[in-house]
Amino acid sequence: MRHLALLSLLLAGAAASAAEVTVAQLLSAGKVVEHDSVIVATDKPHEADMCRGFSLTENQVKSFFRKAAVMDAEAVKKAYQWSPCEVQGHLQYQDQKFLYTVNAAGTGQIEVAPGKFVDFGCNSCQDLFDYGYLLPPAPTRAPAARS
């Protein structure tokens, strides 16, 4: 709930010309519109192959944002792997549209104002991302080779 309150403040501050909306309103009464089933953000065939089978329904997109925690962008980069598989679209509440992206690695964003994003990470969203490809563990630093 704390992350919903924080995001509510961010949305309210960012929507200076639009009516104020809270995340709870956005997720409960908003609709997922202009939904692309999958965007593949890579030119590498192996990485593109791993996106086969990845898609999210409207309910899964809303579930992701309900379960996810608001994080700063640096914390997301440190805590989560990257995946080239993304679902993107807009959450619409009344006459406002908010661009969202959900990445198959368990991260997401909502654009609350032009160029201003709120980042999310979700450790409890594995059920949403079961599409047949397991992400490798975070890279670890290998010990220096002995000579």
Side-chain angles (χ1 to χ4, degrees), residues 82-96:
W82 175 82
S83 170
C85 316
E86 296 182 338
V87 171
Q88 188 176 68
H90 288 89
L91 296 169
Q92 182 170 345
Y93 179 75
Q94 296 178 354
D95 62 346
Q96 299 176 66

Side-chain angles (χ1 to χ4, degrees), residues 115-147:
K116 182 172 178 153
F117 295 87
V118 176
D119 295 286
F120 295 82
C122 187
N123 288 328
S124 62
C125 292
Q126 295 86 355
D127 59 321
L128 300 176
F129 303 113
D130 183 19
Y131 62 100
Y133 181 83
L134 296 176
L135 289 171
T140 57
R141 180 176 259 172
R146 292 184 169 169
S147 22

Side-chain angles (χ1 to χ4, degrees), residues 26-37:
L26 181 61
L27 296 178
S28 66
K31 299 253 186 244
V32 175
V33 296
E34 300 168 19
H35 178 256
D36 293 325
S37 60

Side-chain angles (χ1 to χ4, degrees), residues 3-4 7 23 27 64-72 76 80 101 106-110 117-122:
H3 68 279
L4 289 179
L7 188 55
V23 172
L27 296 178
F64 170 82
F65 286 111
R66 284 186 189 113
K67 291 179 176 183
V70 174
M71 302 173 71
D72 69 47
V76 169
Y80 292 87
T101 303
T107 64
Q109 291 184 320
I110 296 178
F117 295 87
V118 176
D119 295 286
F120 295 82
C122 187

